[in-house]
Amino acid sequence: MSTSQYNRVAFDFAGRDLVGTVADYLAAGDVSGPDGLLVVDVDGARYRVAESDAEPLR
């Protein structure tokens, strides 16, 4: 996976629905599951969200 397949995504953070631009992708490096982490920029703040918790916007 890479950021090329993502542009903007929506996700829930502490009960708030956020939308942002994917800035980076961190590959899963352990046995916790197949999900990597997306680093999402939301108005200058960076959030890490599991791939399965983010919904790509088209």
Side-chain angles (χ1 to χ4, degrees):
M1 298 288 162
S2 70
T3 58
S4 64
Q5 76 183 71
Y6 297 101
N7 184 19
R8 293 184 57 77
V9 295
F11 62 98
D12 177 75
F13 183 80
R16 296 174 34 210
D17 292 327
L18 299 178
V19 175
T21 303
V22 176
D24 199 4
Y25 175 83
L26 306 172
D30 60 21
V31 295
S32 64
D35 274 354
L37 291 176
L38 300 175
V39 179
V40 183
D41 184 292
V42 179
D43 297 328
R46 296 270 171 118
Y47 297 85
R48 290 183 180 181
V49 60
E51 267 185 288
S52 62
D53 294 335
E55 183 174 334
L57 300 177
R58 303 207 188 265

